[in-house]
Amino acid sequence: MMDLIKQASDHLRKSAYAIALTGAGISTESGIPDFRGPSGIWTKNPEAERKAYQRYEVFLANPATYWEERLSSPSLLGDLDRIAPNPGHHALAELERMGHLKTLITQNIDNLHQRAGSKQVLDYHGNESRLRCASCHARYEREEYGLEGLRREGRLPPLCKGCGGVVKLDTVHFGEPIPPDVAERSIEEVEKCDLMLICGTSAVVYPFASLPVMLKQRRGSAKAAIVEINAEPTPLTREGISDYLIQGKTGQILPQLVDEVKR
Ligand SMILES: [Zn+2]
């Protein structure tokens, strides 16, 4: 395994534009439950899953009801303020500070990459700490809106300060398209990159899953390396999308990778 970490650090040092894709695996090491694992949120609570599937339709049909429901149910992820970024998050932030990593595209909504110090983050599935206008896609910090106050005054849903459109959670719900600005920027990043680190995700959820495939099939420019850091082999490993898998916990491997790059 050390050989593979050395190989990845060579790839990182030689790359002109490396990006990372991250998923639930990196956050479960901070104690955030996943959704479909053996003790996942939905495995234990199928009713919550059923409701999650309806959430976007409820928003479209009746945004005030959507907000009443959101404000009266606790976050499924638990109290995120009490959860901290782990060594995997910190290692990716450090790679960015060192100039080796240009952008991070994450499926996680927990804001832990930003809290670890990563600056260039594309929240592919949104971010729990923010709200988003459904019309112009402007993002707002949750606190800016005084949601409880609006609820008490019967003024839900919140409206966009820019365009007056209806505001929802930034989190992307089932059936909701990926926000177009994030989708476009992600594709641009994949087109630019010459190295992709895939950390803690089996990348099977579309359209996120199309990003490594798109890179693998890219034509007309130098071949890019795709390196996986995952606890188990994934479809990316089995289908030969990734060049190699460094198997293990991201919280252990990524700090070793940083050490190796510094050497
Ligand atoms: Zn707006």
Side-chain angles (χ1 to χ4, degrees), residues 84-105:
N86 65 58
H89 295 104
H90 289 295
L92 288 170
E94 189 162 6
L95 287 176
E96 182 185 334
R97 278 195 297 275
M98 291 161 71
H100 289 300
L101 191 66
K102 305 299 181 196
T103 302
L104 206 155
I105 308 174

Side-chain angles (χ1 to χ4, degrees), residues 133 135-136 138 160 163-165:
C133 170
S135 302
C136 75
C160 176
C163 78

Side-chain angles (χ1 to χ4, degrees), residues 132-138 140 159-167:
R132 170 166 45 89
C133 170
S135 302
C136 75
H137 314 296
Y140 298 98
L159 299 178
C160 176
K161 292 169 185 174
C163 78
V166 178
V167 166

Side-chain angles (χ1 to χ4, degrees), residues 47-90:
E47 175 66 11
E49 181 173 13
R50 196 182 59 76
K51 282 205 164 146
Y53 273 96
Q54 295 167 347
R55 195 155 295 147
Y56 189 54
E57 279 177 39
V58 172
F59 171 76
L60 292 176
N62 193 337
T65 305
Y66 163 90
W67 273 108
E68 282 293 344
E69 284 180 4
R70 297 314 335 119
L71 293 175
S72 58
S73 46
S75 165
L76 287 174
L77 301 184
D79 186 355
L80 287 175
D81 290 336
R82 301 178 69 164
I83 286 169
N86 65 58
H89 295 104
H90 289 295

Side-chain angles (χ1 to χ4, degrees), residues 4 12 34 44 47 51 56 61 92 101 104 124 129 132 135 140 162 168 173 199 208 211-212 217 220 223 227 231 237:
L4 288 179
L12 258 175
D34 62 10
K44 290 196 294 191
E47 175 66 11
K51 282 205 164 146
Y56 189 54
L92 288 170
L101 191 66
L104 206 155
Y124 202 78
S129 73
R132 170 166 45 89
S135 302
Y140 298 98
K168 66 181 288 299
H173 303 309
C199 312
F208 188 85
L211 298 174
Q217 294 172 345
K223 202 176 163 302
V227 178
T237 333

Side-chain angles (χ1 to χ4, degrees), residues 18-259:
I19 67 172
L21 266 52
T22 70
I26 195 163
S27 288
T28 49
E29 291 175 35
S30 280
I32 291 186
D34 62 10
F35 286 92
R36 293 204 167 85
S39 55
I41 292 167
W42 290 332
T43 313
K44 290 196 294 191
N45 188 350
E47 175 66 11
E49 181 173 13
R50 196 182 59 76
K51 282 205 164 146
Y53 273 96
Q54 295 167 347
R55 195 155 295 147
Y56 189 54
E57 279 177 39
V58 172
F59 171 76
L60 292 176
N62 193 337
T65 305
Y66 163 90
W67 273 108
E68 282 293 344
E69 284 180 4
R70 297 314 335 119
L71 293 175
S72 58
S73 46
S75 165
L76 287 174
L77 301 184
D79 186 355
L80 287 175
D81 290 336
R82 301 178 69 164
I83 286 169
N86 65 58
H89 295 104
H90 289 295
L92 288 170
E94 189 162 6
L95 287 176
E96 182 185 334
R97 278 195 297 275
M98 291 161 71
H100 289 300
L101 191 66
K102 305 299 181 196
T103 302
L104 206 155
I105 308 174
T106 185
Q107 296 174 91
N108 302 333
I109 60 171
D110 50 39
N111 206 35
L112 288 178
H113 286 301
Q114 289 89 339
R115 283 174 59 197
S118 290
K119 304 281 184 227
Q120 299 299 320
V121 182
L122 291 172
D123 293 301
Y124 202 78
H125 292 153
N127 186 315
E128 258 245 330
S129 73
R130 286 201 290 260
L131 310 181
R132 170 166 45 89
C133 170
S135 302
C136 75
H137 314 296
R139 308 312 197 276
Y140 298 98
E141 292 303 317
R142 218 176 164 132
E143 290 79 43
E144 273 181 68
Y145 262 86
L147 292 167
E148 283 301 335
L150 292 180
R151 183 192 193 188
R152 274 195 305 275
E153 294 159 16
R155 288 164 56 210
L156 291 173
L159 299 178
C160 176
K161 292 169 185 174
C163 78
V166 178
V167 166
K168 66 181 288 299
L169 289 174
D170 183 35
T171 314
V172 175
H173 303 309
F174 285 109
E176 178 183 358
I178 303 300
D181 52 350
V182 172
E184 275 169 36
R185 283 239 9 238
S186 299
I187 292 172
E188 286 167 17
E189 292 296 323
V190 171
E191 284 170 352
K192 266 194 276 190
C193 82
D194 57 2
L195 171 63
M196 179 185 274
L197 298 178
I198 301 178
C199 312
T201 176
S202 52
V204 291
V205 176
Y206 277 88
F208 188 85
S210 63
L211 298 174
V213 177
M214 192 184 298
L215 183 57
K216 186 74 184 175
Q217 294 172 345
R218 186 170 74 182
R219 288 166 205 277
S221 59
K223 202 176 163 302
I226 303 180
V227 178
E228 243 188 296
I229 301 169
N230 274 319
E232 301 292 339
T234 69
L236 299 169
T237 333
R238 287 189 287 272
E239 289 160 24
I241 305 285
S242 61
D243 294 301
Y244 53 96
L245 163 70
I246 309 176
Q247 190 168 351
K249 290 186 169 184
T250 48
Q252 286 166 2
I253 304 224
L254 286 168
Q256 289 181 51
L257 180 58
V258 170
D259 288 345

